[in-house]
């Protein structure tokens, strides 16, 4: 709409708002025309349009805006969407099931409810899923150089795209044609150490589509160094490497002695303990080196530096993409795009310890295999009486930390994504046709190093001729024997074929009545078995007890009508039918949208529809994840509670921690949603545009592990061994157990809760022509959550502005407000862009998990309990403060080909606010019997932990 009115007073008021915030958002723009003159493709509709503004809210991030953001990866750009909320994943979220990958969670409904498309088509997801459940596309592997723009549909779109499009759709649109040569290179580093990043992008165009044949070849190399916790020493949020005593908590530094860890292990100072005496006496503790002694340990003088924890992992990307477009005739175009994206990321964790921190490290499980717990064959590690340095004359207990000659425990992920898509577009028989077929394969190789084999370690320590030395100096063969390398190979494939046609049926007052019909098939195949070490428990603490294998097929048909019934009134209607080859997962989803333009300066718009998310292979295939939950009593083998030594009770069955299996369920229903939006587009004067959009989503049948439901009772989900076993009773006699012993406890996925959320988005932008011939662009985007209510077991919890829901989405929190603002000044060859980002505060409570007060949240839930255990009082950090940071991008265009730039991310060194409830940070891991993580939220405040990042670069563009 081109607007003529000039209400000066309103314009001044608008500037006051728009000039304070950032992140330019522009209306949906045209996708490259593929054959129909005057028509464009817009995300959210199957019908090519003349007008890019649809009844749905669509934000567009252009390639130039991506560059001006100062970021060099797609995931960093999308992480700053104001609609991105609870459940978002970043590469710094090291303790996630899919650590090292990143995903966006629109409206806070998890990464599984946001559909990611590449050029309007589906791609295979990351082989490892979020929380061993939800599939998502790893945004950190998508190349920056070939992106033409990103269109973000902030509305449910299952009637158009099918499953997963409940909260919205992110369509990453690659370039289709390019002429000339393009190069973009930059190098930068953090001001506080680590994180040096080199990025090189090259693109070469050839031919000319208009002349019959054209295309491009693009290459991208990006290397981002790790940032270690040790490089942020002195930062208050780093809590002295884990010392929480200034906050009323425990000292969790490596090697620290506390109530939680009375006998800590010391790096470089292994010691032996006399099993026949009290460990509190100096004579029963024999230190094998001079690094530490008994008195120093007890005085807390043997703490050591955490040299392993990462705030940001090392990541390297090499991407190649080529596109070829051939004009077969005046009416037909064929485009073929082929790409290979390679990513390598490394997560480093704390050194291993003896004794092992938890029997949870010996959970086992795998496809078609019952899980087990506590299979550690060596519950108590000892060395023989003649072991070097053993003064006790009897086998002695070991307390030691690795590595000495070995390496820290690490998890290296090598991910390769290959993709081939062919698209044919043209006109025939009065219809505009599009046919496409594609294949994506994501392969993930995981290499675990530095983890300990308990059986091998015990054998090496007790080798009579060449024992493994806890003081170091062992051969490489011995180290490899004790720390065997574990490999895992996962892959996920997706292939699709679809065809669609559209045409004008008749002329209405406002334009042609248009119809689109289409259909297709999508086939997924996932192979993510855990390693042999995860299935038999031979290597401790290798996180490979999560597995999923299987396939899934989706066939769909759809129809859509666009009816401009009046010159100022448009009605769109769509319906889609999806059939899945799993029970209960066939569904119809309609949607209707209306846009009314009563005057040229104002348009009203709204939509209503339904959405769904079909259970993925991890939820309804052959899949599972073994975990520890809580202690239970075997009521059959311990019939006399409170008296463990009763002759009727089997020893060890009155209170024990079984293995829990988060298992798939083939009878799951799809998650379903009702979606509603209403908004307006206001353009009172030329150059000033404002949009306001309200959204409402009700998500039903949300899939969760049954153990997360308040109705869950472990006693109803027991799986027992086939027959009674030989056991010892409370009075010491041996015999067959009263009943078969408990093998594990099932926690299958169930449809058990619902979420209702509503809120609004406001965006506004104005361009000023200044007297000195310069221009000033100001824009603002603000997303506000009015409500986020979760209902489970008949109990409703209000979670907007809290840390919930912790059971769904990684305990990342649901801030009510996120805002972005851009102020850009342009004069001649100079451009200065300032992007300001704001995230509102949240409290640490989560009513949906029983955290209704600060004491409970900080002293009981998750890993926070380790920080405050036995202190009696929760500290005064019941709220996570708001967070505001600013990015700056300066550019100088030397001539029409060369542009030089200077970038500072987090210009004013904004610090991450304290978040003592979160657990996502991989940093802060200790090598003692606790693992609390650092108190900052990597999903929301990662850039604050990184600190200021300065880079310089250039762009060369010749065409």
């Amino acid at each position: 709409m081109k607007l003529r009115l000039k209400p000066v007073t309103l314009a001044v008021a608008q500037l006051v708002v728009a000039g304070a915030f950032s992140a330019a958002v522009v209306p949906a723009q045209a996708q490259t025309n593929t054959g129909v003159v005057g028509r464009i493709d817009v995300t959210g509709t199957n019908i090519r349009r003349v007008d890019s503004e649809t009844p749905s809210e669509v934000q567009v991030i252009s390639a130039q805006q991506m560059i001006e953001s100062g970021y060099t990866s797609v995931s960093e750009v999308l992480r700053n969407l104001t609609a991105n909320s609870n459940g978002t994943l970043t590469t710094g979220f090291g303790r996630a099931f899919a650590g090292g990958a990143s995903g966006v969670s629109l409206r806070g409904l998890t990464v599984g409810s946001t559909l990611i498309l590449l050029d309007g088509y589906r791609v295979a997801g990351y082989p490892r899923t979020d929380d061993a459940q939800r599939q998502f596309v790893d945004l950190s592997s998508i190349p920056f150089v070939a992106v033409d723009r990103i269109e973000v549909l902030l509305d449910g779109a299952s009637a158009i795209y099918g499953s997963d499009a409940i909260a919205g759709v992110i369509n990453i649109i690659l370039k289709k044609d390019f002429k000339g040569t393009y190069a973009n290179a930059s190098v930068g580093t953090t001001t506080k150490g680590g994180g040096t990043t080199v990025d090189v992008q090259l693109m070469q165009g050839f031919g000319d589509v208009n002349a019959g044949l054209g295309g491009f070849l693009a290459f991208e190399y990006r290397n981002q160094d790790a940032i270690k916790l040790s490089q942020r020493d002195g930062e208050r949020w780093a809590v002295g490497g884990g010392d929480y005593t200034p906050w009323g908590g425990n000292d969790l530094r490596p090697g620290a002695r506390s109530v939680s860890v009375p006998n800590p292990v010391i790096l470089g100072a292994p010691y032996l303990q006399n099993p026949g005496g009290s460990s509190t006496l100096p004579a029963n503790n024999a230190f094998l080196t001079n690094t530490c002694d008994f008195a120093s340990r007890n005085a807390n003088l043997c703490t050591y530096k955490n040299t392993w924890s990462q705030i940001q992992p090392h990541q390297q990307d090499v991407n190649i993409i080529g596109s070829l477009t051939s004009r077969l005739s005046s009416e037909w175009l064929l485009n073929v795009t082929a790409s290979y994206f390679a990513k390598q990321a490394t997560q480093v964790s704390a050194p291993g310890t003896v004794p092992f921190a938890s029997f949870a490290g010996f959970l086992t499980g795998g496809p078609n295999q019952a899980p087990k717990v506590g299979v550690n064959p060596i519950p108590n590690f000892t060395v023989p009486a003649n072991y070097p340095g053993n003064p006790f004359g009897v086998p002695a207990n070991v307390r030691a930390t690795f590595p000495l000659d070995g390496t820290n425990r690490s998890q290296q992920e090598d991910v390769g994504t290959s993709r081939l898509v062919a698209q044919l577009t043209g006109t025939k028989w009065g219809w505009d046709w599009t046919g496409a077929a594609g294949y994506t394969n994501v392969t993930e190789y995981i290499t675990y190093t530095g983890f300990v084999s308990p059986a091998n370690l015990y054998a090496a320590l007790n080798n009579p001729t060449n024992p493994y030395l806890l003081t170091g100096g062992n051969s490489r063969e011995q180290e490899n024997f004790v720390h065997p390398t574990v490999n895992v190979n996962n892959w996920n494939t997706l292939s699709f074929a679809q065809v669609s046609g559209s045409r004008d049926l008749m002329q209405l007052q406002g334009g042609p009545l248009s119809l689109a019909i289409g259909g297709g098939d999508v086939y997924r195949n996932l192979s993510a078995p855990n390693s042999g070490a995860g299935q038999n428990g031979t290597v401790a603490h290798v996180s490979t007890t999560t597995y999923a294998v299987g396939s899934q097929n989706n066939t769909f048909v759809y129809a859509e009508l666009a009816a401009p019934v009046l010159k100022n009134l448009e009605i769109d209607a769509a319906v889609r039918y999806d059939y899945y080859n799993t029970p209960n997962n066939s569904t119809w989803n309609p949607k209707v949208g209306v846009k009314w333009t009563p005057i040229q300066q104002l348009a009203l718009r709204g939509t209503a529809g339904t959405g769904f998310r079909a259970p993925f292979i991890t939820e309804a295939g052959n899949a599972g994840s073994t975990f520890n939950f809580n202690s239970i009593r075997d009521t059959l083998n311990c019939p006399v509670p409170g008296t463990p030594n009763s002759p009727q009770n089997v020893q060890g069955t009155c209170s024990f921690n079984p293995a829990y299996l988060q298992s798939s369920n083939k009878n799951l229903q799809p998650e379903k949603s009702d979606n509603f939006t209403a908004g307006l587009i206001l353009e009172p004067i030329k150059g000033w545009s404002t949009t306001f959009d309200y959204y409402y989503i009700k998500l039903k049948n949300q899939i969760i592990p049954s153990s997360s439901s308040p109705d869950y009772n472990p006693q109803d989900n027991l799986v027992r061994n086939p027959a009674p076993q030989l056991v010892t009773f409370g009075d010491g006699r041996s015999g067959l157990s009263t009943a078969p012993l408990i093998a594990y406890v099932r926690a299958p996925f169930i449809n058990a809760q619902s979420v209702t959320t509503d809120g609004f988005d406001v965006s506004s932008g104005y361009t000023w022509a200044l007297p000195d011939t310069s221009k000033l662009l100001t824009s603002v985007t603000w997303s506000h959550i009015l409500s986020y209510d979760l209902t489970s077991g008949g109990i409703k919890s209000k979670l907007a502005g809290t840390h919930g829901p912790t059971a769904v989405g990684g305990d990342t929190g649901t801030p009510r407000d996120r805002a972005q603002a851009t102020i850009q000044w342009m004069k001649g060859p100079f451009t200065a862009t300032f992007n300001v980002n704001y995230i509102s505060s949240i409290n640490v409570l989560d009513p949906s998990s029983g955290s209704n007060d600060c004491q409970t949240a900080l002293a009981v839930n998750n890993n926070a309990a380790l920080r405050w255990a036995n202190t009696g009082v929760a500290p005064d950090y019941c709220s996570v403060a708001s967070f505001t940071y600013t990015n700056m991008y300066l550019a100088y265009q030397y001539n029409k080909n060369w542009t030089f730039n200077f970038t500072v991310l987090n210009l004013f060194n904004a610090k991450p606010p304290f978040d003592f409830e979160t657990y996502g940070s991989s940093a802060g891991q200790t090598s003692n019997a606790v693992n609390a993580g650092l108190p900052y939220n990597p999903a929301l405040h990662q850039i604050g932990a990184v600190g200021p990042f300065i880079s310089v670069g250039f762009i060369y563009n010749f065409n």
Side-chain angles (χ1 to χ4, degrees):
M1 295 182 292
K2 296 183 178 180
L3 308 180
R4 309 297 182 188
L5 298 183
K6 298 182 179 180
V8 177
T9 56
L10 189 58
V12 173
Q14 175 67 20
L15 179 62
V16 172
V17 177
F21 300 97
S22 89
V25 175
V26 298
Q29 299 172 342
Q31 186 168 324
T32 304
N33 186 14
T34 53
V36 184
V37 177
R39 301 286 183 93
I40 58 176
D41 290 327
V42 178
T43 299
T45 176
N46 294 303
I47 297 175
R48 295 189 179 114
R49 303 169 51 88
V50 175
D51 179 9
S52 63
E53 288 283 6
T54 72
S56 295
E57 178 188 4
V58 180
Q59 296 179 354
V60 176
I61 307 170
S62 67
Q64 185 61 30
Q65 288 172 323
M66 291 172 60
I67 293 173
E68 291 170 353
S69 73
Y71 297 116
T72 56
S73 73
V74 172
S75 64
E76 290 175 315
V77 171
L78 292 176
R79 188 167 66 223
N80 289 282
L81 289 172
T82 60
N84 183 30
S85 188
N86 174 70
T88 181
L89 293 174
T90 71
T91 56
F93 199 93
R95 299 173 76 183
F97 275 82
S102 66
V104 169
S105 173
L106 295 178
R107 307 304 188 199
L109 294 178
T110 77
V111 292
S113 293
T114 298
L115 177 61
I116 306 296
L117 302 175
L118 207 57
D119 284 332
Y121 300 116
R122 291 178 179 266
V123 294
Y126 200 61
R128 285 182 296 146
T129 50
D130 180 33
D131 284 343
Q133 176 184 2
R134 293 172 290 272
Q135 180 184 219
F136 69 100
V137 174
D138 179 18
L139 296 171
S140 67
S141 65
I142 295 177
F144 196 93
V145 61
V147 176
D148 181 69
R149 68 189 177 280
I150 301 173
E151 295 185 350
V152 183
L153 174 68
L154 294 169
D155 187 10
S158 288
I160 305 298
Y161 299 112
S163 179
D164 309 338
I166 288 177
V169 178
I170 296 177
N171 189 8
I172 301 168
I173 300 171
L174 305 179
K175 294 178 173 66
K176 296 296 184 298
D177 187 24
F178 182 78
K179 296 179 181 179
T181 302
Y182 173 87
N184 185 345
S186 65
V187 60
T189 192
T190 65
T191 61
K192 300 180 180 182
T196 298
T197 302
V198 176
D199 185 74
V200 178
Q201 305 170 18
L202 302 172
M203 180 177 292
Q204 178 64 53
F206 54 87
D208 187 344
V209 174
N210 295 326
L213 184 67
F216 69 85
L217 183 66
F219 169 83
E220 180 176 17
Y221 170 81
R222 185 175 186 271
N223 186 84
Q224 174 184 273
D225 286 347
I227 300 175
K228 292 186 175 182
L229 172 62
S230 59
Q231 295 172 305
R232 296 296 179 269
D233 280 352
E235 297 284 351
R236 191 165 183 265
W237 55 266
V239 292
D243 185 3
Y244 291 87
T245 54
W247 290 271
N250 295 318
D251 187 352
L252 302 182
R253 291 175 298 168
R257 189 170 188 266
S258 66
V259 175
S260 299
V261 190
N263 294 308
V265 292
I266 314 296
L267 184 67
Y271 60 100
L272 306 178
Q273 290 184 323
N274 186 349
S278 172
S279 63
T280 62
L281 297 177
N284 292 318
N285 292 267
F287 283 78
L288 302 180
T289 69
N290 295 324
T291 306
C292 182
D293 56 31
F294 182 82
S296 298
R297 187 204 69 178
N298 286 4
N300 218 22
L301 300 177
C302 295
T303 60
Y304 53 95
K305 193 177 185 64
N306 181 336
T307 60
W308 56 87
S309 288
Q310 297 178 145
I311 293 169
Q312 171 181 288
H314 171 259
Q315 180 171 320
Q316 186 177 92
D317 301 87
V318 178
N319 302 314
I320 301 174
I321 183 169
S323 180
L324 183 66
T325 302
S326 174
R327 183 167 292 281
L328 304 179
S329 69
S330 60
E331 297 181 328
W332 290 92
L333 280 177
L334 174 65
N335 174 262
V336 178
T337 301
S339 59
Y340 183 77
F341 312 147
K343 183 185 83 168
Q344 183 182 93
T346 304
Q347 301 281 348
V348 180
S349 56
T353 64
V354 177
F356 293 95
S358 167
F359 63 81
F362 303 102
L363 288 169
T364 67
N368 305 312
Q369 174 187 334
K372 294 181 181 179
V373 68
V375 297
N376 177 11
I378 318 295
N380 186 31
F381 277 82
T382 61
V383 293
N386 62 348
Y387 186 83
N390 183 0
F392 304 120
V394 295
N397 296 331
V398 175
R399 299 196 69 84
T401 294
F402 302 96
L404 292 171
D405 300 318
T407 59
N408 280 318
R409 294 185 295 179
S410 67
Q411 174 182 323
Q412 179 176 300
E413 301 158 12
D414 292 275
V415 183
T417 302
S418 53
R419 180 174 180 264
L420 178 65
V421 175
Q423 175 181 276
L424 179 66
T425 59
T427 303
K428 190 69 174 178
W429 308 303
W431 289 75
D432 301 327
W433 296 98
T434 299
Y439 174 81
T440 309
N441 178 283
V442 183
T443 301
E444 177 191 37
Y445 295 96
I446 308 175
T447 304
Y448 295 93
T449 57
F451 292 82
V452 176
S453 166
N456 290 3
L457 174 60
Y458 187 81
L461 289 172
N462 288 272
N463 187 313
T465 58
N466 186 25
Y468 182 81
L469 300 178
L470 295 170
T471 53
N474 300 291
S475 68
R476 178 48 51 189
E477 289 74 18
Q478 286 175 300
E479 290 293 345
N480 291 341
F481 179 68
V482 171
H483 306 283
T485 299
V486 177
N487 296 296
V488 181
N489 181 15
N490 301 326
W491 49 263
N492 190 14
T493 67
L494 181 146
S495 56
F496 73 89
Q498 63 187 69
V499 63
S500 63
S502 63
R503 66 169 298 165
D504 296 341
L505 300 179
M506 59 182 295
Q507 192 69 24
L508 301 179
Q509 183 176 339
L513 173 67
S514 301
L515 169 70
I517 58 174
D521 187 86
V522 179
Y523 178 76
R524 299 174 176 85
N525 195 1
L526 175 67
S527 176
N530 53 336
S531 69
Q535 295 180 30
N536 58 32
T538 55
V539 178
H541 295 83
V542 174
S543 302
T544 54
T545 58
T546 296
Y547 60 91
V549 293
S551 62
Q552 186 179 65
N553 198 78
N554 168 215
T555 303
F556 62 89
V557 293
Y558 63 81
E560 183 179 358
L561 274 174
V565 293
L566 301 173
K567 289 185 178 180
N568 63 352
L569 178 63
E570 174 188 345
I571 300 175
D572 292 349
V575 64
R576 173 168 164 145
Y577 173 74
D578 284 87
Y579 170 79
Y580 282 79
N581 63 334
T582 52
N584 312 314
N585 282 290
S586 299
T587 178
W588 288 91
N589 287 278
K591 181 179 181 179
V592 62
V594 178
K595 187 177 75 170
W596 178 45
T597 311
I599 59 175
Q600 191 177 17
Q601 295 78 26
L602 174 67
L604 304 177
R605 62 187 179 186
T607 65
T610 64
F612 80 103
R613 184 181 76 85
F616 187 53
I617 297 167
T618 49
E619 298 163 312
N622 182 356
S625 180
T626 307
F627 65 98
N628 285 120
F629 187 42
N630 55 18
S631 298
I632 67 171
R633 177 172 70 96
D634 186 342
T635 57
L636 299 183
N637 288 300
C638 179
V640 185
T643 311
N645 294 329
S646 168
Q648 302 177 57
N649 294 339
V650 174
Q651 289 185 7
T653 63
C654 292
S655 180
F656 68 103
N657 287 88
Y660 284 77
L661 176 64
Q662 176 179 292
S663 56
S664 52
N665 180 355
K666 297 184 182 300
N667 295 315
L668 287 172
Q669 301 282 340
E671 296 181 350
K672 293 188 176 182
S673 68
D674 297 322
N675 297 67
F676 171 78
T677 69
L680 59 84
I681 306 168
L682 177 66
E683 296 188 2
I685 61 175
K686 184 178 181 180
W688 175 21
S689 175
T690 298
T691 65
F692 173 90
D693 289 276
Y694 168 82
Y695 69 88
Y696 170 89
I697 304 172
K698 183 175 179 60
L699 176 63
K700 299 164 288 187
N701 293 336
Q702 188 172 37
I703 301 171
I704 62 171
S706 54
S707 57
S708 298
S709 170
D711 299 328
Y712 181 74
N713 184 354
Q715 299 293 340
D716 297 332
N717 292 276
L718 302 178
V719 178
R720 295 183 177 273
N721 290 318
Q725 295 171 249
L726 185 64
V727 296
T728 302
F729 287 87
D731 58 0
R733 62 186 173 87
S734 298
L736 291 177
S737 57
T738 306
L741 299 180
I742 296 171
Y744 63 96
V745 184
R746 293 182 66 251
F749 287 113
I750 55 174
N751 298 102
Q753 63 188 25
S754 64
V755 175
T756 301
T757 181
D758 70 335
F760 58 79
D761 303 313
V762 179
S763 65
S764 186
Y766 188 73
T767 302
W768 298 78
L770 302 180
D772 61 352
T773 71
S774 64
K775 288 197 302 182
L776 183 68
L777 283 69
T778 58
S779 64
V780 59
T781 303
W782 170 34
S783 294
H784 176 74
I785 299 175
L786 292 167
S787 68
Y788 190 105
D789 299 340
L790 184 149
T791 302
S792 182
I795 302 172
K796 178 183 288 188
S797 302
K798 296 184 177 298
L799 303 180
T802 75
H803 225 293
T806 56
V808 181
D811 195 10
T812 56
T814 306
R816 283 189 179 272
D817 297 286
R818 292 196 65 165
Q820 297 178 329
T822 293
I823 300 175
Q824 186 176 72
W825 177 76
M826 296 180 291
K827 181 177 176 61
F830 293 98
T831 299
T833 305
F834 294 87
N835 294 312
V836 184
N837 299 266
Y838 169 80
I839 302 172
S840 64
S841 65
I842 57 176
N843 62 56
V844 298
L845 310 183
D846 177 15
S848 67
S849 66
S851 297
N852 294 302
D853 61 83
C854 184
Q855 171 74 32
T856 302
L858 294 182
V860 176
N861 282 354
N862 300 321
N863 292 274
L866 302 172
R867 303 177 181 126
W868 319 116
N870 303 305
T871 60
V873 179
D876 188 22
Y877 283 91
C878 301
S879 178
V880 181
S882 62
F883 182 57
T884 302
Y885 61 96
T886 302
N887 299 334
M888 180 184 73
Y889 176 84
L890 306 178
Y892 173 73
Q893 186 172 353
Y894 177 73
N895 56 35
K896 67 176 184 178
N897 301 126
W898 289 90
T899 299
F900 300 92
N901 53 62
F902 176 75
T903 300
V904 183
L905 303 179
N906 195 0
L907 177 65
F908 301 115
N909 190 22
K911 309 287 188 180
F914 284 109
D915 185 347
F916 286 105
E917 163 62 12
T918 191
Y919 70 88
S921 170
S922 61
Q925 298 177 26
T926 75
S927 59
N928 296 324
V930 291
N931 190 347
L934 281 176
Y936 80 91
N937 194 324
L940 299 178
H941 312 132
Q942 176 70 7
I943 195 170
V946 172
F949 177 88
I950 299 175
S951 67
V952 295
F954 71 85
I955 297 174
Y956 173 80
N957 200 344
F958 178 82
N959 52 34

